[in-house]
Amino acid sequence: MAFGIPRPVLSLFSKALPLIVISFGIWDQSADFLQSQKVEKYLQNFIEEYDFIIVGAGSAGSVLANRLSSNPDYKILLLENGGNPNPMQSVPFYFQSMFHIPSIDYDYYTVPQKRSCLSLKNQRSFWPRGRGLGGSSNLNAMFWQRSSGHDYDRWAELSGSADWKFDNILRNFKNVEDYHGQYFNEKWHSQDGKGVYVSTVDNTNLVDEFLEAGKEMGYPTKDVNGNQEPSFSRLDVTIKDGRRFGAYPAFLEPVLDRSNLYIYRYARVTKVHLNKKTKRAYGVTYKRHGIEHFVRAKREIILSAGVIDSPKILQLSGIGPKVHLDNLGIKTVIDLPVGKNLQDHIMIVFGPFLVDAPGKTYVPGRDITLSTVADYFSKRKGIMASAIGANAIGYIHSELSKQRGNIWNKSPDIQLLLVPTNLNVPEEYEEFFNIKKGVMSRYIAGLEDVDSFMVTVMLGKYNSRGEIRLASTDPFEKPILDPKYLSHPDDVQILIDGLNFTVNMVENTKAFQKIGARLADRHFPGCEKFKLKSAQYYECYIRQFTLTLYHQSGTCSMGKGPEDPNAVVDSKLRVLHAKGLRVVDASIIPEIPNGNINAAVMMLADKASEFILDYWAQVDNSISRSQLTRELFSVGRQSKNSLRN
């Protein structure tokens, strides 16, 4: 007898203790404690366990895997639903040709939009999302834009933390870039060879005219990736020696041989498991090669599955709006506005603008030849070394924002992108953007071989808000995506201001008039009843030809904490009311910045890695074994079915 308990019973209890502890879901966070217990041996033999589990190997997950695995004491598991990047994805010009391929693109579509996308099939916007190591950085247009510093000061305000002020994240922007562009300055940029390789597009068609026209309109030429202000510039891109340089070559490929980093490809996470009493996240279920697996996390689970799949996984796990989860029969574990606050950058591909200077623009049928292809593959030069031929960019304020106050020291709300290429291939545009068959052919009929260019007008400061919801409890069914494009009237007015500015710049500056530039005298299909260049015509064009710039964000929004009704995570990106669970990707963005967001996503992941590493260094240095023992056994009895639940 021992303490009044028969020895056979005590022996049986001792052997069963590891399983009891696991079933209770009360395992704590200290590796030091775990390694000293019999439970550690059980976990090693029967259940996979890691210090950190990262879900998703996109722009954010790749940075996190790189940074967290830099500590050899941590065992990291990276779960990715796809495989290695497709070799063809390295050719910049092919980026849109990679859409709709199931092995590398999730091929998402929104629900029909009521006020926008009128020329798109079923009024649905096509949202490509990258599948595979590197995520959407394998599919994007490779533009490197940090956005305005004022946007991150706004993040600091919304999160209640000065950590996010631009002055405090500039270091993180520099950490994730290896800058070899036109404006290297050590105050603003890093050139250490350890981040994403950033260069400047060498395609110069119409660049001089665009920059000079910007000056005539009052906008200087300067570094828009430094201390951004309203200005124009040549375009910086994540291209090295004519090849795409995304998250995979920058952050994953260099660390594939780290012994503490485990990468499971083709592993789709379907649920995060939380202890029902303590709300500690202790494991995930994933499916790989048709087999379902369970894996535990000692310290943290980090969702980096993206703006669509991170909220989807949370909702499937019982974290989300209670009414929505109740309607699907999912028991709510934590009631949070997951999936709300969906934002995006709308772009209006505007033109064509005709020119009287042959050779100033690219005409694909004339200029893309076998010689062009050979030149690319032998020298990595030419139009194929840049995405869609875009080569210059500008940031301006709308007339609406000017009317509302002193905005010249704040974030511009319109981005202009010069695309010196005509619409010679209408069928491809229709396929890429889900446009109704024949719309683009009718619009450019007779202009197929004429020198012309387009200007993309992007809504940099998005006012409408949408949401993402589960379609069902089936983890493999695509969720309901509703951005509610143009539901806020300011969005329409800002875009009208952008089109007005563009026509005025092209038709009334000396720089563009030297080459006879002007808007083509024709109506976009569906807008024939409106006077060309009128506000009514511009609004019609905007509602007909509404396209995404693939910058969805905000669905697990960062906020000030539990008292913030719009927040899902706090300023350290920890899921509210939960333990051991963070979200680190574009979904935490509380308010979309005014530029392309890939740089911002990598920056925030680098920032999050600092939060995580600093926190656990403090934990490991401060919590004693006796403290952990008391905490472990003070937790009450939980369901024996916690692994299944």
Side-chain angles (χ1 to χ4, degrees), residues 155-194:
W155 287 18
E157 179 184 342
L158 291 170
S159 68
S161 172
D163 285 335
W164 294 101
K165 290 181 69 67
F166 183 66
D167 288 347
N168 294 328
I169 61 172
L170 177 58
R171 177 188 71 258
N172 302 102
F173 271 121
K174 294 169 72 173
N175 285 348
V176 297
E177 77 170 11
D178 179 21
Y179 190 85
H180 296 266
Q182 61 198 318
Y183 291 116
F184 179 73
N185 179 319
E186 62 182 11
K187 178 179 180 180
W188 303 110
H189 298 290
S190 173
Q191 200 177 75
D192 61 6
K194 295 181 180 180

Side-chain angles (χ1 to χ4, degrees), residues 173-378:
F173 271 121
K174 294 169 72 173
N175 285 348
V176 297
E177 77 170 11
D178 179 21
Y179 190 85
H180 296 266
Q182 61 198 318
Y183 291 116
F184 179 73
N185 179 319
E186 62 182 11
K187 178 179 180 180
W188 303 110
H189 298 290
S190 173
Q191 200 177 75
D192 61 6
K194 295 181 180 180
V196 172
Y197 190 97
V198 180
S199 61
T200 300
V201 172
D202 59 6
N203 165 16
T204 59
N205 290 65
L206 290 179
V207 168
D208 290 342
E209 288 82 0
F210 185 77
L211 299 182
E212 189 59 36
K215 291 178 183 176
E216 290 185 53
M217 300 293 288
Y219 294 88
T221 299
K222 63 168 296 184
D223 183 6
V224 297
N225 282 318
N227 184 24
Q228 190 198 90
E229 63 182 34
S231 56
F232 282 45
S233 174
R234 289 170 64 198
L235 184 64
D236 284 340
V237 290
T238 55
I239 296 175
K240 181 179 182 180
D241 298 328
R243 293 176 180 269
R244 174 190 295 273
F245 203 92
Y248 176 74
F251 302 109
L252 284 184
E253 198 170 30
V255 300
L256 290 177
D257 60 349
R258 283 182 179 170
S259 60
N260 63 329
L261 176 60
Y262 299 78
I263 301 175
Y264 289 178
R265 297 161 177 83
Y266 308 108
R268 184 156 192 169
V269 172
T270 58
K271 186 175 182 178
V272 174
H273 297 269
L274 279 79
N275 177 288
K276 289 181 171 56
K277 183 171 183 179
T278 66
K279 302 298 189 293
R280 174 169 300 287
Y282 61 87
V284 302
T285 295
Y286 67 92
K287 198 164 188 177
R288 189 178 190 222
H289 305 316
I291 300 174
E292 191 168 87
H293 303 267
F294 173 81
V295 61
R296 296 186 65 91
K298 293 179 186 178
R299 297 171 186 261
E300 290 191 26
I301 295 165
I302 307 164
L303 294 183
S304 296
V307 70
I308 297 174
D309 283 284
S310 284
K312 176 184 174 183
I313 292 170
L314 287 176
Q315 291 178 7
L316 286 168
S317 306
I319 303 175
K322 187 176 188 304
V323 173
H324 174 51
L325 299 183
D326 285 349
N327 288 339
L328 291 173
I330 298 174
K331 182 175 178 56
T332 303
V333 180
I334 303 175
D335 183 8
L336 288 172
V338 174
K340 305 292 186 180
N341 195 44
L342 174 61
Q343 301 163 63
D344 194 9
H345 280 148
I346 292 172
M347 68 172 174
I348 308 301
V349 181
F350 189 43
F353 293 95
L354 311 181
V355 300
D356 294 332
K360 276 287 185 180
T361 73
Y362 277 101
V363 178
R366 179 191 70 196
D367 300 324
I368 306 297
T369 65
L370 287 177
S371 177
T372 306
V373 176
D375 190 50
Y376 171 76
F377 284 103
S378 63

